[in-house]
Amino acid sequence: MQVTPIGWILLIVGPLLAIFRPRWLYILTIFSLPFTATDIINVGSGLDVSGVQAPMYLGCLLLLRHCLVSVKRLSFPLPRKGRICLYWMAIFIAVVAVSLVMPVWLDGHVEVPSMSLINPTTELIHLKSKNITGVLYMVFGFGFLYLTVALNQTIAMSRLTLKTFMAGSTFSALWACLEFACKISGVPYPAMIFNTGTALSATGYMERTNFFPRLSSVSVEPSILAQTLLVAISLTLPFVFGGLTLFSKKRDRSIFVLLLVVLCLTTSSTAYIGLLVIALTVLVLCAVRGVLTPMHLLVPIAGLSLSALIYATVPVAKQVLDEMFFTKSGSYSALERLMTITNALQMFREHPMLGIGWASITSHDLIANILGNAGILGLLSFTVAMYSIFRALYRSIKSRSKALRIGGLMRLDFGLYVALTVTLVTSALSGFLNVFTFFWFVCGFAIVASIGIDFFKPRVVPGSAETAVTMSPRSASARDIPVLAFRTQAKTPK
């Protein structure tokens, strides 16, 4: 076991914040969500290495404090709104836990194919520590999802949470710019600061294409960096195109441009596909709500035209895109991904109800991973849980008048609808993100947005045909606000 330099700091600071400054612990946890490559402790050696990520460690401290406060007050309340979404997520976690009966039942009678294309061996199914650890990841994820919902039942906390997450994402993007400058100039990249994970999957900062450096910043690999920044850029939509303000108009637009540029520089196919998914989701939502006009189509058309022009005229861009999309389709990594999907589906066909037990087989595909490890019951419960969140988000979006146009349509619920969509679509192409805390944060914050926790309310200014957006807190009854783990809370602005 090896404690990293930043690990020593957080091992000391974390408990102190949990005891004396829980509010700052919450802020630090949300800020650290993009830091998936920052490990507190590394356990093991060689190829058998695992680490405790900083967001998970801080999240556990936050959960522990919240549980102790709830026990002290003898109260474990659930938010009155959004309970259906939480119930279905809890059912999914329960199915995942129950699936562990499969390794016990199949004990040594079924062989699981290896995920390595070079070493295509098999191993017999037994209940192993990785199965228990996999379920604990899911339990922690649900706990963090619940905590996100519970602690954001007020407008002030929701705004603080969004600002903190955007600050962490912006720092991640700026660190990616530093990484890019180091790789271009030949200056050593200071990986020892935040890229402290020693597992092979956490060394994405070492990757590069044949023509261009790849960027992973504080994430384990470029695709995970892309997925965190895609969530962040989705959440900036209401503040760039919706007429709202988070920090200031200039800062909001600067953050949007920074995130967009870094996403393009990651040389990750996940980033490019994700940007396309975001554009399509926005267009579909606007079209369904009847606020899309021919003029609005000029923006995506201009973007596609510019991308095509860059691809045709800039040799480096053409080489990178060819390698990411066309050459990669026949590469070793693509074939290995396809093999893992095929193996997981084969396990599902043999054991359709509960799969072969959670974390028994790896698949680089969200659906195949759930089917292979938790069967049709796992996929069904997960699908219903996601559907309940999307349905609640769309109901919130639909509640606003079409007369507000796009500026009135884009609120927090709109941004979370887009963020959750792009997260699930990219996960279907790259794998389930259940081991990363930011996935559960997105699900939890989406539930928050779907139940009407929004810090902006449009009103028409007298004597003006335009709609002005002002900060307007909504009233909340004591029954809607669960026990919080903070001694003091920020007052809701009047």
Side-chain angles (χ1 to χ4, degrees):
M1 184 176 68
Q2 179 185 9
V3 181
T4 63
I6 196 170
W8 284 113
I9 297 174
L10 293 180
L11 285 174
I12 298 173
V13 173
L16 292 176
L17 291 179
I19 298 172
F20 301 107
R21 290 291 185 270
R23 184 181 181 85
W24 281 102
L25 175 62
Y26 176 76
I27 292 174
L28 182 60
T29 303
I30 300 300
F31 183 88
S32 69
L33 290 177
F35 291 68
T36 56
T38 306
D39 284 356
I40 304 297
I41 300 172
N42 291 306
V43 182
S45 61
L47 297 177
D48 187 20
V49 179
S50 60
V52 179
Q53 298 172 10
M56 184 170 292
Y57 164 71
L58 296 172
C60 286
L61 290 177
L62 201 62
L63 275 169
L64 178 61
R65 176 178 173 87
H66 185 79
C67 290
L68 292 176
V69 172
S70 298
V71 169
K72 181 180 178 180
R73 299 181 182 182
L74 299 178
S75 176
F76 292 88
L78 284 173
R80 189 172 61 177
K81 297 181 180 180
R83 286 187 178 183
I84 299 299
C85 303
L86 289 172
Y87 287 157
W88 277 109
M89 288 300 297
I91 291 173
F92 170 59
I93 302 302
V95 172
V96 166
V98 171
S99 71
L100 291 188
V101 302
M102 295 302 294
V104 178
W105 181 49
L106 299 173
D107 191 27
H109 293 87
V110 175
E111 293 184 343
V112 179
S114 169
M115 63 175 292
S116 174
L117 191 62
I118 297 178
N119 185 25
T121 59
T122 60
E123 62 177 357
L124 295 175
I125 290 183
H126 296 283
L127 183 62
K128 301 178 181 178
S129 59
K130 68 175 184 179
N131 301 107
I132 307 297
T133 303
V135 172
L136 290 178
Y137 273 125
M138 301 296 289
V139 172
F140 164 77
F142 176 76
F144 193 84
L145 181 150
Y146 162 77
L147 203 60
T148 302
V149 178
L151 297 184
N152 286 280
Q153 291 289 299
T154 63
I155 299 162
M157 281 303 300
S158 298
R159 187 174 181 86
L160 173 66
T161 298
L162 183 56
K163 278 190 168 185
T164 305
F165 178 75
M166 292 306 303
S169 301
T170 302
F171 181 88
S172 175
L174 291 173
W175 194 260
C177 294
L178 173 65
E179 180 186 6
F180 179 77
C182 290
K183 291 182 177 181
I184 290 295
S185 63
V187 176
Y189 170 64
M192 75 293 297
I193 300 178
F194 297 116
N195 301 87
T196 55
T198 57
L200 184 62
S201 59
T203 56
Y205 65 93
M206 297 181 180
E207 296 182 14
R208 64 175 296 122
T209 66
N210 295 328
F211 315 100
F212 206 72
R214 304 195 71 190
L215 303 181
S216 63
S217 184
V218 294
S219 300
V220 293
E221 61 178 40
S223 63
I224 302 301
L225 171 64
Q227 286 175 300
T228 56
L229 297 188
L230 286 169
V231 170
I233 204 170
S234 299
L235 296 179
T236 62
L237 294 177
F239 309 104
V240 175
F241 301 102
L244 308 181
T245 302
L246 184 62
F247 298 102
S248 69
K249 269 300 175 188
K250 186 176 180 180
R251 289 181 182 177
D252 294 344
R253 291 169 180 169
S254 299
I255 290 173
F256 177 82
V257 173
L258 173 65
L259 295 175
L260 184 61
V261 170
V262 173
L263 280 168
C264 294
L265 290 177
T266 58
T267 64
S268 170
S269 56
T270 301
Y272 307 139
I273 294 173
L275 289 173
L276 181 60
V277 170
I278 289 175
L280 291 175
T281 306
V282 171
L283 290 176
V284 169
L285 281 176
C286 292
V288 170
R289 294 302 300 140
V291 297
L292 189 66
T293 65
M295 289 296 295
H296 296 140
L297 295 176
L298 293 179
V299 176
I301 291 175
L304 289 174
S305 301
L306 179 61
S307 301
L309 180 63
I310 293 175
Y311 177 79
T313 57
V314 180
V316 175
K318 185 178 186 303
Q319 291 169 339
V320 170
L321 290 175
D322 286 344
E323 183 172 342
M324 288 295 101
F325 288 100
F326 307 116
T327 306
K328 187 177 181 179
S329 61
S331 65
Y332 166 80
S333 62
L335 294 175
E336 188 174 73
R337 285 173 180 265
L338 181 61
M339 183 192 71
T340 62
I341 296 173
T342 304
N343 292 339
L345 293 178
Q346 177 62 32
M347 293 295 101
F348 163 68
R349 284 192 290 268
E350 295 178 5
H351 308 280
M353 295 305 295
L354 287 172
I356 58 174
W358 194 253
S360 293
I361 189 169
T362 302
S363 175
H364 295 291
D365 175 85
L366 172 65
I367 298 175
N369 188 79
I370 296 177
L371 285 174
N373 289 287
I376 191 65
L377 293 179
L379 182 62
L380 181 62
S381 56
F382 179 78
T383 301
V384 175
M386 292 297 105
Y387 171 77
S388 65
I389 298 176
F390 276 116
R391 184 185 181 190
L393 283 171
Y394 184 71
R395 281 184 174 181
S396 179
I397 296 171
K398 189 178 179 180
S399 65
R400 292 191 288 277
S401 172
K402 296 181 181 180
L404 296 175
R405 300 296 178 183
I406 289 184
L409 184 68
M410 290 191 178
R411 294 290 183 269
L412 183 61
D413 48 13
F414 188 97
L416 264 302
Y417 192 103
V418 176
L420 188 57
T421 300
V422 71
T423 299
L424 292 178
V425 172
T426 53
S427 296
L429 301 175
S430 59
F432 197 9
L433 299 174
N434 61 299
V435 298
F436 299 115
T437 311
F438 77 86
F439 169 79
W440 303 102
F441 167 77
V442 172
C443 295
F445 211 45
I447 296 175
V448 171
S450 70
I451 61 179
I453 300 296
D454 199 350
F455 26 86
F456 295 102
K457 183 178 180 181
R459 65 178 178 85
V460 178
V461 179
S464 173
E466 298 180 353
T467 300
V469 179
T470 59
M471 221 174 154
S472 177
R474 302 179 183 180
S475 61
S477 65
R479 289 178 298 176
D480 293 332
I481 304 176
V483 177
L484 299 182
F486 301 142
R487 293 180 179 176
T488 59
Q489 301 175 35
K491 295 183 179 180
T492 303
K494 298 181 179 180

